Amino acid sequence: MAIDSQRSSRLSTPGVDHPAHYRRRARVGDALGIALWLTSAFAVALFLFSGGTARFGSVADAVTSVGIATGLVGTNLVLAMLLLAARVPFIDHAIGHDRAIAVHRALGKPAFYLLLGHGVILLIGYGLSSGLDPVAEIGPMLAIPDMLLAILAIALLAVVIVSSAALVRRRYSYETWHLMHLLSYAAVLASVPHQLSIGSVLSPFSFERVYWLALYILAFGAILTHRLAEPLVSSLRHRLRVERMEPEAPGVVSIYLSGRRLRSLESVGGQFFVWRFWTAGTWWHSHPLSLSSVATDTQLRITVRDLGGGSRSISSVPAGTRVWFEGPYGIFTDAGRTAPKLAIVVAGIGITPVRAMLEDSVLKPGEATILLRASTVDDTFLWGEIEELARQKGVAVTMMIGPRARTGPGWMTQADADRGLTLLGVFPDLLASDLYLCGPTSWLNVVEADARAAGISDHQIHAERFDW
């Protein structure tokens, strides 16, 4: 997108707006964390003030009440997870989609353990109350209205949690994992009847019932609005279709998409969209892919690498295929800069957002340095475009081609490690720079660790990991 020079200068001039921008992100992130704790505490307080305190007259009642409170907190965390994954513009712009999803993932296990503990503690409490052991109490508990739906909800949530573990996730394609992850919506919906049917906790017409229904409406309303309604309306308005395919390297292809009024999307170089290609073999899965060039009013470009069945299938869709999308998302843009210099380290398909960000940025000669990293010559796709943009903008470019070093810094080639090259050697002004990193997660983690060891501050690091 060809944005006006005034806006570009504001986004790209470090040391003025950008520290405030970073502090604002930090404040919003802290506020979201505080809100999470406050809503959990409020859920428990509502339970106590609506009769919960009367249930602490005996050990059995106290244990049962703790079990109920545990379930309420767990449910609150699950609803917060849904909201964080709903791609709400305020959250995405304030802390970034990547950070929101990181918090979403971090809440998964605590929420699951709380809900599982909710069931176990209730078994113990009911057992103490009736004089039965917890195992014998299972039968009567199953007779509670909608209990089977609650057990189904826990089982579905367990599938989602297990499938999200890194070791398990690698065994599946992104498309399979994504479909499994959608079970979290079914899990939450299955739990609603159970929660509302316990009249002594959420009695009809009570403020507590209204409060919880409002939370459910907020979470699912955000999902329906930002994951379904808005993308549907935007896709119909802009009428994207595949215009043509252009091979960039073995297993790498650029897809040119044509549409109308695309500048009104206000996408910025470095952002990504979630794409859905309407063919018989691809309509059922979506793909988060960054723009690989700045949008014009009638054209977008993405570059896809064959990393599995899903990316392979969209690399051969025919011209004229209708494309639906969500976005733009992400804050891997120069709007987050805080330092006077810019350092960029990129490898593999990570070249796509970096190429678009470089094109969209207004830079002074000598302000930026880019390190391009590839294992083989076949991995140097789009490097020519990066070099041309760098020449136009006065950006220094360093290239590294070869397998990762076995000794020395593992992110560089063995030859570079043997001659004692360091990150500070490539970027002498690293500590006065914003460091943008994009590439495979394992490689990127090594670069980031090296940068931190060199003394760069956390707020100067902007990482885009190709992971899910």
Side-chain angles (χ1 to χ4, degrees):
M1 182 178 68
I3 55 181
D4 60 88
S5 58
Q6 182 179 3
R7 179 178 175 224
S8 294
S9 298
R10 179 179 59 81
L11 291 178
S12 304
T13 304
V16 182
D17 292 334
H18 301 98
H21 172 85
Y22 174 75
R23 288 193 295 271
R24 185 167 62 253
R25 280 189 65 197
R27 286 196 299 268
V28 173
D30 292 341
L32 288 175
I34 293 171
L36 191 61
W37 285 107
L38 287 178
T39 53
S40 295
F42 186 69
V44 175
L46 270 182
F47 165 65
L48 295 177
F49 287 120
S50 61
T53 53
R55 299 191 182 93
F56 286 83
S58 66
V59 173
D61 290 342
V63 171
T64 300
S65 296
V66 169
I68 293 172
T70 301
L72 294 175
V73 174
T75 301
N76 186 68
L77 295 186
V78 170
L79 293 176
M81 290 173 62
L82 294 183
L83 194 61
L84 287 168
R87 299 194 176 109
V88 178
F90 166 74
I91 296 176
D92 186 63
H93 295 158
I95 64 173
H97 179 68
D98 56 344
R99 186 175 178 186
I101 292 301
V103 177
H104 165 90
R105 290 177 179 170
L107 293 177
K109 287 184 179 179
F112 175 71
Y113 294 149
L114 283 166
L115 292 175
L116 193 62
H118 162 70
V120 172
I121 294 172
L122 284 182
L123 275 176
I124 296 173
Y126 292 161
L128 290 172
S129 179
S130 61
L132 300 174
D133 63 80
V135 176
E137 192 60 43
I138 293 176
M141 178 175 277
L142 291 177
I144 295 176
D146 302 313
M147 182 56 68
L148 291 179
L149 281 176
I151 293 173
L152 175 62
I154 288 290
L156 292 175
L157 193 58
V159 172
V160 174
I161 295 297
V162 171
S163 68
S164 297
L167 291 176
V168 178
R169 202 164 65 233
R170 296 191 189 104
R171 298 172 63 91
Y172 299 99
S173 66
Y174 169 80
E175 295 75 30
T176 301
W177 172 86
H178 183 68
L179 288 174
M180 295 174 67
H181 212 65
L182 293 178
L183 292 174
S184 59
Y185 299 146
V188 177
L189 290 174
S191 70
V192 174
H194 161 71
Q195 187 175 10
L196 298 182
S197 66
I198 307 298
S200 60
V201 178
L202 300 183
S203 57
F205 309 110
S206 67
F207 176 77
E208 193 174 8
R209 178 178 284 245
V210 172
Y211 171 76
W212 280 103
L213 285 175
L215 288 186
Y216 280 108
I217 291 171
L218 174 64
F220 280 95
I223 292 168
L224 291 174
T225 299
H226 302 296
R227 300 295 300 274
L228 183 61
E230 288 182 355
L232 175 60
V233 171
S234 192
S235 295
L236 293 174
R237 177 187 299 131
H238 296 286
R239 298 182 183 178
L240 276 184
R241 291 185 181 273
V242 175
E243 180 180 307
R244 69 183 189 276
M245 302 277 191
E246 289 190 3
E248 302 287 357
V252 181
V253 63
S254 284
I255 305 176
Y256 290 80
L257 308 171
S258 62
R260 61 177 188 171
R261 299 196 301 271
L262 300 179
R263 281 197 179 96
S264 65
L265 292 171
E266 298 185 349
S267 61
V268 179
Q271 292 186 304
F272 70 96
F273 290 77
V274 180
W275 310 94
R276 186 179 302 276
F277 294 80
W278 285 93
T279 70
T282 60
W283 67 268
W284 54 275
H285 53 83
S286 56
H287 302 266
L289 298 167
S290 301
L291 296 178
S292 58
S293 63
V294 173
T296 69
D297 204 42
T298 59
Q299 189 178 80
L300 298 171
R301 185 184 77 168
I302 55 177
T303 301
V304 182
R305 187 172 194 176
D306 182 357
L307 297 174
S311 55
R312 187 180 308 117
S313 64
I314 66 172
S315 297
S316 57
V317 296
T321 297
R322 183 178 291 276
V323 182
W324 285 13
F325 63 91
E326 302 173 42
Y329 300 125
I331 54 174
F332 190 76
T333 70
D334 64 358
R337 289 184 58 190
T338 64
K341 295 284 188 174
L342 174 62
I344 300 173
V345 184
V346 59
I349 198 62
I351 197 77
T352 57
V354 167
R355 191 258 178 234
M357 184 182 73
L358 181 61
E359 182 183 7
D360 214 10
S361 299
V362 176
L363 300 168
K364 298 176 182 177
E367 183 179 331
T369 301
I370 298 178
L371 171 62
L372 301 176
R373 181 73 175 88
S375 296
T376 67
V377 175
D378 287 341
D379 296 328
T380 61
F381 51 91
L382 301 186
W383 281 26
E385 296 183 21
I386 290 282
E387 288 182 89
E388 178 58 24
L389 287 169
R391 185 190 63 78
Q392 295 172 8
K393 295 172 181 281
V395 175
V397 178
T398 298
M399 302 179 186
M400 287 186 183
I401 303 175
R404 289 173 59 173
R406 296 185 178 182
T407 59
W411 56 268
M412 63 176 62
T413 66
Q414 189 63 60
D416 290 311
D418 289 342
R419 65 189 180 92
L421 187 65
T422 64
L423 198 61
L424 286 172
V426 179
F427 303 103
D429 298 318
L430 179 65
L431 301 186
S433 303
D434 281 287
L435 177 62
Y436 282 73
L437 307 172
C438 197
T441 297
S442 60
W443 172 85
L444 190 150
N445 289 341
V446 177
V447 182
E448 187 170 348
D450 205 3
R452 294 182 191 281
I456 196 169
S457 300
D458 287 347
H459 72 266
Q460 294 172 251
I461 300 176
H462 313 267
E464 183 90 327
R465 289 171 168 82
F466 286 92
D467 197 9
W468 40 271

